[in-house]
Amino acid sequence: MGRRIAAKITGVAGYVPPRVVTNFDLQKVVETTDEWIRTRTGIRERHVVDKGVAASHLATEAAKKLLAKKNVAPEEIDLIVVASVTPDMMFPATACLVQERLGAKNAWGFDLSAACSGFVYALTVGAQFVGAGTHRKALVIGSDVMTSILNFEDRATCVLFGDGAGAVLVEPAESEDECILDFHNDVDGSGGCFLYMPGGGSLNPPSQETVEKKMHYVHQEGQQVFKYAVRKMAEVSCQLLERNGFSIKDLALVVPHQANLRIIRAMQERLGLDDSKVLVNIDRYGNTTAGTIPLGLRDAVNEGRLKKGDLVLLVAVGAGYTTGGMLLRWAY
Ligand SMILES: CC(C)(COP(=O)(O)OP(=O)(O)OC[C@H]1O[C@@H](n2cnc3c(N)ncnc32)[C@H](O)[C@@H]1OP(=O)(O)O)[C@@H](O)C(=O)NCCC(=O)NCCS
């Protein structure tokens, strides 16, 4: 029996900035080809912010769309959790900026840093407050502007990411048929050295030296992350299914983190999971870090791939290493 949370997702929305950068555009910036990026990652294009647009702006747009769609007034929101590794600034938290712009004057909120697992972590936390009965409408948002920390001279990282945000509304669940059935989140800090941004924090505060040494960019050992992601995403998916008495065939849809299409397909192979049960949109957005899973849920809803009662699995691996998995019954 899993760790039930008496909470459900009752709405989802997303926002990506309008400007599209294709692989062909990147060919003009760095030594790469559309063919390499497509075959090695599955990405064709990504959305990129213009100067002056930050994580809070994308998060606010996604949240506004969600509230409009659900006909919920901003004052009804009582909690805002924002997952991001590219907040507008060190402080105040992105959640505070979003709260102000939305006019969600009865909400408290905070940011959470778990990289690509950020949305699953944030959903776990937001849902716990709702499940405990102390909160009735939580906004859980994943928002990242990865292009703000990309080194466009490093072809092995700059082609992978895009900017975007997604938001879900979490409300109390009435029964087991519509709740969060289980979650598994873990950390393996020994992987911290394979994906990180060394500059800008209290260890290496910004200075001419940190800029010259390119410490304000994503540093990654891609193959290490790749192998860990495939293994952990498959392992956690199995664990969650098994301990709740389900098998792969019971799943209606898996919404995995979108880091690399080959990671997703390798995970599927381990699980024996058919393409038809996996949401893939990396071709259009690249890796939007905390944005991928809510954007995936949005696309799944828009494409009519989710219906009430469906068994849905969310799974992600990210810098840290962090891993997040959640099994839920789709509630609408
Ligand atoms: C980054 C990643 C796409 C690289 O793919 P890969 O198959 O492991 O490729 P390698 O790193 O072995 O590089 C193979 C070759 O392609 C080259 N290459 C790397 N990026 C390239 C690019 N954009 N265009 C063309 N060639 C490129 C490398 O320089 C290397 O050349 P070499 O053989 O002459 O040295 C892949 O490792 C990956 O996706 N890792 C996971 C990253 C991730 O998801 N991070 C987010 C956190 S979840």
Side-chain angles (χ1 to χ4, degrees):
M1 168 94 160
R3 292 181 282 191
R4 302 274 191 272
I5 308 179
K8 60 182 176 184
I9 294 174
T10 58
V12 56
Y15 179 79
V16 290
R19 185 154 65 93
V20 173
V21 172
T22 66
N23 293 345
F24 294 102
D25 295 325
L26 284 177
Q27 282 183 197
K28 295 174 201 147
V29 180
V30 65
E31 198 186 330
T32 190
T33 59
D34 169 63
E35 211 254 332
W36 192 95
I37 302 171
R38 257 191 306 105
T39 54
R40 306 306 291 164
T41 73
I43 301 165
R44 287 173 188 275
E45 59 188 37
R46 70 287 290 141
H47 290 250
V48 171
V49 297
D50 289 321
K51 196 168 162 36
V53 177
S56 71
H57 300 108
L58 306 187
T60 304
E61 287 307 312
K64 277 185 177 167
K65 281 188 182 187
L66 177 57
L67 296 187
K69 196 192 267 186
K70 292 294 300 173
N71 207 11
V72 166
E75 297 81 8
E76 294 177 61
I77 301 299
D78 41 27
L79 172 62
I80 301 171
V81 187
V82 179
S84 186
V85 286
T86 52
D88 293 33
M89 48 195 121
M90 295 282 273
F91 64 87
T94 315
C96 302
L97 306 171
V98 172
Q99 184 264 356
E100 160 70 10
R101 291 207 197 103
L102 288 178
K105 59 177 197 260
N106 296 313
W108 67 290
F110 55 93
D111 288 7
L112 185 155
S113 169
C116 297
S117 309
F119 180 78
V120 179
Y121 277 36
L123 183 55
T124 307
V125 174
Q128 292 281 20
F129 281 100
V130 173
T134 56
H135 293 68
R136 296 202 61 83
K137 282 187 170 52
L139 262 184
V140 176
I141 305 172
S143 181
D144 270 299
V145 177
M146 292 304 289
T147 57
S148 67
I149 55 168
L150 290 180
N151 177 1
F152 280 92
E153 291 173 356
D154 175 10
R155 65 180 182 174
T157 54
C158 74
V159 302
L160 303 175
F161 296 94
D163 303 331
V168 298
L169 185 64
V170 182
E171 297 186 81
E174 308 304 330
S175 74
E176 293 253 322
D177 305 333
E178 57 171 25
C179 76
I180 292 170
L181 296 174
D182 202 359
F183 61 93
H184 170 98
N185 298 324
D186 72 47
V187 164
D188 176 359
S190 70
C193 53
F194 299 122
L195 181 51
Y196 64 111
M197 188 180 90
S202 54
L203 181 62
N204 298 298
S207 67
Q208 195 167 336
E209 190 192 356
T210 63
V211 172
E212 278 165 9
K213 288 185 172 167
K214 303 186 189 306
M215 290 167 78
H216 300 277
Y217 293 132
V218 173
H219 292 244
Q220 172 169 252
E221 287 191 35
Q223 286 187 8
Q224 294 286 346
V225 179
F226 191 105
K227 281 185 266 179
Y228 187 84
V230 172
R231 180 170 65 76
K232 281 295 287 200
M233 283 166 72
E235 259 175 38
V236 167
S237 302
C238 274
Q239 263 174 34
L240 281 171
L241 290 171
E242 273 172 20
R243 74 183 188 209
N244 288 279
F246 295 116
S247 71
I248 284 289
K249 65 174 176 14
D250 298 311
L251 280 171
L253 193 68
V254 178
V255 182
H257 171 53
Q258 312 277 312
N260 186 321
L261 183 59
R262 289 189 297 133
I263 293 178
I264 297 172
R265 295 299 185 223
M267 172 198 77
Q268 279 179 244
E269 199 173 308
R270 288 186 180 210
L271 295 171
L273 187 60
D274 195 73
D275 286 2
S276 64
K277 289 190 172 182
V278 182
L279 190 288
V280 171
N281 61 10
I282 191 171
D283 51 323
R284 283 167 286 148
Y285 305 117
N287 180 353
T288 56
T289 301
T292 61
I293 289 182
L295 285 170
L297 286 172
R298 178 201 65 172
D299 286 356
V301 169
N302 288 348
E303 291 163 18
R305 293 175 74 177
L306 285 172
K307 60 176 193 312
K308 192 170 165 50
D310 276 354
L311 190 65
V312 178
L313 177 70
L314 316 178
V315 64
V317 160
Y321 294 122
T322 54
T323 299
M326 186 177 277
L327 194 61
L328 53 97
R329 288 278 181 204
W330 195 250
Y332 68 97

